[in-house]
Amino acid sequence: MTIKRVGVVGSGIMGSGIAEVAGKAGFEVILRSRAQATADAMVASLEKSLGRQVDKGKLDATERDAVLGRVRAVSDLGELTECDLVIESIVEDLATKKHLFNELDRIVQDGAILATNTSTLPVVEMAMETGRPQLVCGVHFFNPAPMMPLVEIVRAITTSDETADAARAFAETCGKTPVLVKDQAGFIVNALLFPYLNNAVKLLDAGVATREDIDAAMKGGCNFPMGPLELLDLVGLDTSLSILEALYAEFKDPNYAAAPLLRRMVSAELFGRKTSRGFYDYHKK
Ligand SMILES: NC(=O)c1ccc[n+]([C@@H]2O[C@H](COP(=O)([O-])OP(=O)(O)OC[C@H]3O[C@@H](n4cnc5c(N)ncnc54)[C@H](O)[C@@H]3O)[C@@H](O)[C@H]2O)c1
């Protein structure tokens, strides 16, 4: 399986980061957003991000131009036909993802790998929407994708050895450290991380400490680079709630039952950095 052309579907926090990583690794990237304006805006923000790296001396200008030459933004899913690997990174909702896999299976050439960047959802259910379940796996990047070294390669019960090997090789070419994990909700990182994040919201809600002190405690006491409430704002509270719901649905463990405050904040559309308000306020002062 030779991967040259990579499709990325979804223009949120993760889709744009994955496109940057794959473009920098030398892959031809087709980035698909439902609206051409959003797709173009992502390329503009990629240009900005690469520009900052040039200014800091981390990337040379020729390389920046080469990366931009390799990334193309489209709105038509049909443009993904000739991809060798498509990674979907749309909203964390199983029905929406299943529908997309069904469409991708009809559009993307035979033999291509269809991958999901889901944080928790069952990969096998997406695989079974296609006529090529052996070619479907999870390729789970972390946020922000250009900086975080880990990629979880999620092997569904239907995934072939060749597909898992090709996905692992792709992650390595992207300069990442892949780990292989079974298709079980939360995989490794989120299964361990989310009870902790969820319990931080419960502590805040119980008035045990302020948001600043909860975050300061975990940074200062455990040497974590970010506090749990800051991290939830980065991940997105809507995505975090979906992750907890998928974990709870799988294990029925009360540690995964979403904190009521988290649910209320999502209802109020306080999604974190992406809406400029979550546990903290990110509006420009
Ligand atoms: N945020 C994180 O920290 C993180 C980390 C790793 C993986 N993920 C996973 O990546 C995926 C995307 O998350 P994100 O944080 O980028 O979310 P996001 O909210 O930033 O972006 C979601 C994108 O999905 C698009 N979308 C919504 N409904 C759609 C539909 N019906 N069809 C096509 N596109 C649709 C939205 O327009 C948006 O561009 C999710 O599966 C999430 O679990 C997120």
Side-chain angles (χ1 to χ4, degrees):
M1 285 178 176
T2 313
I3 296 172
K4 285 190 177 153
R5 188 173 297 161
V6 178
V8 178
V9 184
S11 52
I13 305 173
M14 293 305 292
S16 38
I18 295 169
E20 176 175 336
V21 168
K24 281 176 89 173
F27 294 99
E28 195 186 321
V29 179
I30 304 179
L31 185 53
R32 189 267 181 175
S33 177
R34 286 173 297 176
Q36 187 63 40
T38 320
D40 292 340
M42 286 177 71
V43 173
S45 94
L46 171 63
E47 206 169 337
K48 235 177 165 178
S49 158
L50 296 175
R52 277 195 300 270
Q53 293 168 41
V54 172
D55 293 343
K56 288 182 189 161
K58 290 184 178 163
L59 188 74
D60 65 53
T62 331
E63 183 53 16
R64 172 200 57 201
D65 296 344
V67 174
L68 288 170
R70 286 195 286 270
V71 179
R72 190 158 64 89
V74 303
S75 59
D76 179 6
L77 215 50
E79 300 258 10
L80 301 178
T81 309
E82 287 171 20
C83 288
D84 307 303
L85 164 69
V86 175
I87 305 173
E88 76 72 24
S89 191
I90 66 166
V91 63
E92 185 77 341
D93 175 72
L94 187 56
T96 312
K97 287 190 190 287
K98 280 168 78 167
H99 180 75
L100 177 62
F101 269 83
N102 186 290
E103 274 186 290
L104 288 173
D105 187 45
R106 283 185 276 117
I107 289 166
V108 183
Q109 64 181 341
D110 289 346
I113 296 177
L114 304 179
T116 173
N117 184 43
T118 182
S119 303
T120 33
L121 297 169
V123 179
V124 68
E125 292 205 28
M126 297 172 231
M128 294 309 283
E129 285 296 312
T130 74
R132 57 180 105 181
Q134 74 285 3
L135 285 162
V136 176
C137 65
V139 174
H140 182 212
F141 284 84
F142 288 77
N143 183 9
M147 282 170 62
M148 300 297 278
L150 183 69
V151 174
E152 289 178 325
I153 304 297
V154 185
R155 194 171 175 161
I157 206 161
T158 50
T159 308
S160 69
D161 290 346
E162 293 75 15
T163 299
D165 290 348
R168 182 196 278 270
F170 164 75
E172 281 168 352
T173 307
C174 288
K176 301 296 184 190
T177 308
V179 294
L180 190 65
V181 50
K182 202 167 81 166
D183 178 23
Q184 176 177 293
F187 315 128
I188 301 170
V189 173
N190 288 335
L192 295 173
L193 176 66
F194 268 83
Y196 154 68
L197 296 180
N198 196 33
N199 279 314
V201 182
K202 290 180 187 168
L203 277 191
L204 177 71
D205 203 19
V208 172
T210 62
R211 61 186 182 181
E212 288 83 3
D213 282 355
I214 291 172
D215 282 338
M218 295 313 290
K219 286 188 277 191
C222 294
N223 208 16
F224 288 176
M226 296 180 85
L229 303 172
E230 291 169 323
L231 183 54
L232 281 162
D233 276 354
L234 177 76
V235 169
L237 270 57
D238 52 340
T239 302
S240 298
L241 179 59
S242 301
I243 290 171
L244 281 164
E245 284 176 339
L247 284 162
Y248 188 76
E250 181 104 302
F251 300 111
K252 304 289 185 289
D253 177 337
N255 269 310
Y256 294 128
L261 175 61
L262 181 68
R263 204 176 280 287
R264 295 297 179 278
M265 290 178 72
V266 171
S267 299
E269 297 181 4
L270 302 173
F271 295 158
R273 289 192 194 197
K274 64 180 153 186
T275 54
S276 298
R277 246 187 93 191
F279 292 103
Y280 295 90
D281 192 342
Y282 301 90
H283 287 98
K284 289 200 177 87
K285 302 262 154 51

